[in-house]
Amino acid sequence: MNKHYQVVIVGGGPVGAALAVELGLRGVACALVERRLKPQRIPKGQNLTQRSMEHLYSWGIADAVRASRMLPPEYPMSGIVAYRDLSTDFWYAPPLREIVNSYYFEQNERLPQYLVEYVLRKKLLELPNVDCRFGWAAEKIEQDASGVRVAIAKEDGGGNEVLSADYAVGCDGGHSIVRRQIGIQRSSSDFDQLMVLALFRSKELHEKLKRFPPRSTYRVLHPDLKGYWQFFGRVDVGESWFFHSPVPASTTRDNYDFHGLLRRVAGFDFACEFDYVGFWDLRIEVAKSYQIGRVFIAGDAAHSHPPYGGYGLNNGLDDVANLGWKLAAMLQGWGSDGLLKSYSEERQPIFLETGRDFIEAGIEKDAAFLARYSPDKDRAEFEHAWKDHQGAAAPRVLTYEPHYEGSPIVFGPPDGRSSARGTHTFTARTGHHLPPQPLSSGRNVFEELGPYFTLLAFDTDDRTVAAFAEAAKELGVPLKTVRDTYGEGREAYEAKLILVRPDRYVAWTSDGGPNDAKGIMSKAVGRA
């Protein structure tokens, strides 16, 4: 049996399900192939950034995701950082992603990844153009110039099918069959370190950690562990926890005292009951390209890393927001091969830098700190260095600002390059995320953005606006225009004309009329 779709998505975790929602809302006929009938109830991917929440808002499910939160609002995403164990006098509670909330339309959020999956799956039920194949697994992917064929089999042995499509996307995790079969290689930083993930219940631990202000995670820096983290994370308030730590390479579920490990990291005794013990390898892997021909990869299939900083799921959702509209544009006839190519050109450098400059560099800095300073050797020197260590937390958050200045489909600076590192500002900058601002109607700019391109025109003449409308019509590009005065906060954009992409990134800005509206629109869709 052969069924044809516009897009087949292999892997229905949060990234694959989000892509199906993104494409479904854009009218694209797609199939979602996922072997698991239900989301796996392991509390990973807890931290949702402001950008991720903006994506969820655009899909109409931000409120449903927030309503699924297990932790009350007084338990923020940020955590405790402690030296040696949680009984120490040396600890701090740094502000983290919440310090950049004002630069985004949605605030950050915290809840287990599987709860986000449940909300996404519920949304999929509203989209008749999405065929959900839960309980099916992809076995073979082939492509040629005319399309893609994905052979799938029912997990219970109950049948086989071949799905044909114009395009396919592998969202099937770090061991992606899609990535392997289409021949995409990955670069890797392997720390040669086995890690344990334990899920357990302990009311006693909750009571004993009341010495700290309410927080979601408790991270321990131990001088013997080369900068690798040990940390407890709350699943709820009162009882359920997860825990990550380095363990010896020979560790199994049966030959190691995990309760003893928890007690050592806590610095005190407490009772607990384990629900799950698993292992993972500490490494960072990034695909060298996110596309070959008609097949793309996204999420962990494209980039995988330790759960340090909550970069995985968030980067996967950013992949979806970047790729989804470009596939829809191509299938609707106004995109281009150049537009599709820009997905890899924009997204791959972001995570390459995220892994190297934020995750790996953070481990190296912690290792250097722990090797250099110790309260046992020189307490006064350690106390001074510990204050500096605390002071470095906020700057790391402020400088993580992924952007596409080097993209071929934006009007970036001559020396621009796409990077994970940047600055937060309310200025509208080409290649960067659009900051929110109120309109004179009382609504926010984000509430007026169209599903595709939007031209923000502040105190702009009719001729200029008409030039863009005519150019978009000629190219077949859906364009919405939002007009308003250049005041009441909107002057912070430092531009009267802003062309905003469907993923809420800025393609072009100006203070005057365009010399070539058609040229601007053509470049923005890869047809320059």
Side-chain angles (χ1 to χ4, degrees):
M1 185 177 181
N2 188 308
K3 289 191 175 182
H4 186 81
Y5 301 87
Q6 291 177 296
V7 179
V8 170
I9 303 164
V10 177
V15 174
L19 182 58
V21 170
E22 165 81 7
L23 292 174
L25 289 170
R26 296 188 184 280
V28 175
C30 54
L32 178 65
V33 180
E34 168 53 45
R35 62 181 179 81
R36 292 178 293 123
L37 294 174
K38 295 181 179 180
Q40 189 178 20
R41 292 182 66 87
I42 294 179
K44 54 186 178 179
Q46 297 258 351
N47 294 333
L48 292 172
T49 64
Q50 296 87 349
R51 284 188 314 280
S52 291
M53 290 306 301
E54 286 178 356
H55 304 327
L56 295 164
Y57 168 80
S58 73
W59 301 326
I61 55 176
D63 289 344
V65 166
R66 292 196 192 279
S68 301
R69 179 180 177 135
M70 298 177 71
L71 291 171
E74 59 266 26
Y75 282 81
M77 284 175 58
S78 52
I80 302 296
V81 179
Y83 177 75
R84 191 170 284 160
D85 61 47
L86 294 178
S87 68
T88 181
D89 292 332
F90 295 109
W91 63 270
Y92 60 85
L96 290 177
R97 286 197 174 117
E98 60 268 22
I99 66 177
V100 296
N101 271 338
S102 61
Y103 298 101
Y104 298 87
F105 179 59
E106 290 281 343
Q107 296 190 359
N108 56 340
E109 188 54 272
R110 180 179 176 85
L111 71 165
Q113 174 178 300
Y114 61 81
L115 294 178
V116 178
E117 287 188 64
Y118 279 120
V119 174
L120 287 164
R121 287 193 179 202
K122 185 177 180 181
K123 183 68 177 181
L124 288 172
L125 298 176
E126 303 173 11
L127 303 173
N129 51 332
V130 179
D131 182 6
C132 293
R133 300 298 191 95
F134 296 122
W136 292 76
E139 294 190 328
K140 189 173 183 180
I141 296 93
E142 299 177 323
Q143 66 171 316
D144 55 33
S146 62
V148 182
R149 290 162 301 282
V150 182
I152 65 173
K154 244 189 170 178
E155 283 284 274
D156 62 6
N160 297 274
E161 289 189 34
V162 176
L163 310 180
S164 65
D166 299 290
Y167 299 97
V169 185
C171 303
D172 49 339
H175 301 289
S176 169
I177 185 175
V178 174
R179 186 189 65 245
R180 293 199 307 271
Q181 290 197 9
I182 65 175
I184 292 180
Q185 301 299 313
R186 297 206 289 183
S187 61
S188 177
S189 296
D190 194 337
F191 298 91
D192 193 26
Q193 176 62 61
L194 182 67
M195 304 288 290
V196 65
L197 165 60
L199 309 183
F200 67 95
R201 286 168 286 117
S202 175
K203 294 181 179 178
E204 189 176 356
L205 179 61
H206 170 70
E207 291 300 318
K208 289 189 174 181
L209 291 183
K210 285 183 176 179
R211 68 181 291 245
F212 300 117
R215 288 296 185 271
S216 301
T217 59
Y218 303 81
R219 171 186 161 205
V220 170
L221 296 177
H222 196 285
D224 294 341
L225 295 181
K226 304 176 184 177
Y228 305 145
W229 293 4
Q230 296 175 303
F231 62 96
F232 295 90
R234 293 183 181 275
V235 180
D236 57 26
V237 173
E239 185 172 21
S240 297
W241 301 84
F242 65 90
F243 173 78
H244 290 277
S245 176
V247 290
S250 59
T251 303
T252 69
R253 291 178 179 84
D254 303 318
N255 70 1
Y256 194 83
D257 179 11
F258 296 106
H259 191 189
L261 175 62
L262 295 180
R263 291 195 299 259
R264 289 195 299 275
V265 178
F268 49 77
D269 192 17
F270 63 93
C272 73
E273 294 183 21
F274 288 93
D275 294 323
Y276 170 87
V277 174
F279 303 94
W280 52 276
D281 294 314
L282 186 63
R283 65 167 62 101
I284 300 169
E285 295 183 312
V286 186
K288 296 185 176 179
S289 173
Y290 289 6
Q291 174 192 7
I292 289 185
R294 290 177 170 269
V295 183
F296 303 80
I297 55 175
D300 286 353
H303 42 77
S304 58
H305 65 89
Y308 288 11
Y311 296 107
L313 174 58
N314 293 298
N315 268 279
L317 296 179
D318 285 345
D319 292 343
V320 166
N322 189 292
L323 177 60
W325 72 270
K326 295 173 181 179
L327 282 171
M330 193 68 173
L331 291 164
Q332 292 166 5
W334 54 272
S336 66
D337 288 334
L339 184 63
L340 293 182
K341 186 181 176 185
S342 73
Y343 164 63
S344 186
E345 292 170 329
E346 290 181 343
R347 293 300 304 153
Q348 197 270 353
I350 300 298
F351 200 84
L352 191 65
E353 246 183 44
T354 299
R356 183 189 66 222
D357 296 349
F358 287 87
I359 301 173
E360 189 171 357
I363 293 171
E364 292 172 354
K365 287 178 181 177
D366 284 344
F369 169 85
L370 293 166
R372 172 67 179 83
Y373 303 103
S374 168
D376 300 330
K377 296 184 210 173
D378 188 328
R379 187 179 181 91
E381 180 187 46
F382 179 84
E383 288 177 349
H384 180 77
W386 186 247
K387 288 182 180 178
D388 290 342
H389 193 274
Q390 176 178 354
R396 282 196 297 270
V397 174
L398 290 170
T399 58
Y400 185 72
E401 192 261 330
H403 61 82
Y404 310 135
E405 281 190 1
S407 170
I409 62 167
V410 306
F411 290 79
D415 59 346
R417 64 183 185 88
S418 299
S419 171
R421 189 179 296 277
T423 58
H424 286 83
T425 175
F426 288 107
T427 303
R429 297 167 295 167
T430 302
H432 292 255
H433 169 270
L434 178 75
Q437 286 295 346
L439 297 170
S440 56
S441 65
R443 289 168 62 82
N444 195 283
V445 166
F446 272 68
E447 296 176 277
E448 294 294 345
L449 294 176
Y452 288 100
F453 279 87
T454 302
L455 179 67
L456 302 179
F458 304 126
D459 285 341
T460 304
D461 61 90
D462 294 341
R463 186 175 62 178
T464 297
V465 171
F468 270 100
E470 291 168 9
K473 183 178 180 180
E474 183 176 346
L475 295 168
V477 178
L479 175 69
K480 178 181 180 180
T481 299
V482 176
R483 305 189 71 169
D484 208 335
T485 58
Y486 189 56
E488 299 177 313
R490 293 174 291 282
E491 67 275 12
Y493 283 141
E494 298 184 16
K496 293 183 178 180
L497 286 166
I498 306 169
L499 183 63
V500 186
R501 306 188 332 178
D503 56 2
R504 297 163 296 282
Y505 275 73
V506 176
W508 170 86
T509 68
S510 175
D511 261 341
N515 295 322
D516 181 8
K518 184 178 179 181
I520 292 167
M521 294 300 303
S522 294
K523 179 170 176 131
V525 296
R527 290 161 60 182

